Amino acid sequence: MSKVIMGRMTHHYEGELVVFHIGMQINRWWRPDVWLPAFFAMPRMLRELSQDDGSGFLGYELLFGRGGPYVVQYWSSVDKLYAYSTSPSQEHRPAWTKFNQAARKSPGTVGVWHETFLVERAESIYVSTREMGLPKATELVEVGRRQDRAKARFDEGRTVAEAERR
C-alpha cells in the first residue's frame, strides 16, 4: 500500500490536458470467455503506455463501477491519444479487433464505453491521501496560501484551451 501524504496537496500542470474514461460493463458474468480477454487486455495497454515516454500518456487510476472496471487516464494530447488507439503495432488495435469479433458472436454479453474530455481548467485537492489521480499523473504540490480555496485553485488551473491548441 502506498504512503499517505499528510497535508493539503494539489496538482500542477501546464499544457494540453486530456482526461479519458474507458470501461467495460459486464452484462453476463457467467460468460468470462467473452469479457475476460478484454479485462486482461487493459493492463497490457497501461503497461505499454507507462513505459513509453513519448506516448503522451501521463498516468491513470483503476476503478470499479456498478457494471464493471473502468480506467481514468490522463493524456498530454488528444492527437496522441487517438494515434495510440489506431496504431496497429501497439496493444490497443489488435485487442479492439479481438473484442469486436467476440462481441459479435455473443451480442450484449459485455459492453464497452469511453468518454474523452479536453480540459480547459482543472482544480484538485487531496487531504491526507495516497498519491493518486491528477497529481500522480502530473506533479504533486502542496496547497499554498494563494490556493487555499477551491475557486483560487480553479482560477490558477488553466491548461491549454482548445482555441490555443489550433
Side-chain angles (χ1 to χ4, degrees):
M1 179 127 186
S2 55
K3 177 183 140 201
V4 171
I5 300 165
M6 301 304 292
R8 296 163 41 94
M9 307 302 285
T10 188
H11 78 280
H12 174 76
Y13 182 74
E14 294 178 18
E16 185 172 314
L17 178 62
V18 177
V19 178
F20 180 68
H21 294 205
I22 185 166
M24 63 189 302
Q25 181 175 306
I26 302 169
N27 299 320
R28 297 183 184 129
W29 287 92
W30 60 92
R31 291 295 312 270
D33 57 309
V34 178
W35 60 262
L36 209 53
F39 180 83
F40 284 127
M42 184 57 73
R44 289 192 306 271
M45 289 182 243
L46 295 171
R47 190 171 16 292
E48 175 181 62
L49 287 163
S50 296
Q51 294 171 351
D52 181 359
D53 292 336
S55 69
F57 184 70
L58 300 173
Y60 67 94
E61 285 293 325
L62 293 171
L63 303 165
F64 198 82
R66 191 173 92 178
Y70 68 99
V71 184
V72 176
Q73 297 179 3
Y74 303 96
W75 290 78
S76 67
S77 161
V78 170
D79 294 336
K80 288 183 177 188
L81 167 62
Y82 291 146
Y84 177 74
S85 72
T86 59
S87 173
S89 64
Q90 293 181 292
E91 291 284 338
H92 176 266
R93 192 73 197 158
W96 181 242
T97 300
K98 285 181 185 177
F99 169 79
N100 280 318
Q101 291 168 347
R104 277 190 214 101
K105 292 177 184 174
S106 184
T109 298
V110 62
V112 294
W113 60 272
H114 77 254
E115 302 171 345
T116 307
F117 305 92
L118 178 60
V119 179
E120 182 179 319
R121 290 177 189 249
E123 182 273 329
S124 66
I125 185 87
Y126 299 82
V127 181
S128 299
T129 66
R130 64 179 176 80
E131 190 174 22
M132 59 189 268
L134 194 50
K136 182 180 174 187
T138 59
E139 180 184 359
L140 179 70
V141 295
E142 194 168 347
V143 171
R145 281 193 136 159
R146 292 183 44 205
Q147 301 169 321
D148 191 46
R149 300 279 183 236
K151 184 177 181 330
R153 288 188 304 277
F154 186 76
D155 289 345
E156 291 182 13
R158 180 168 291 287
T159 63
V160 175
E162 177 68 19
E164 296 168 344
R165 185 173 173 258
R166 294 179 185 203

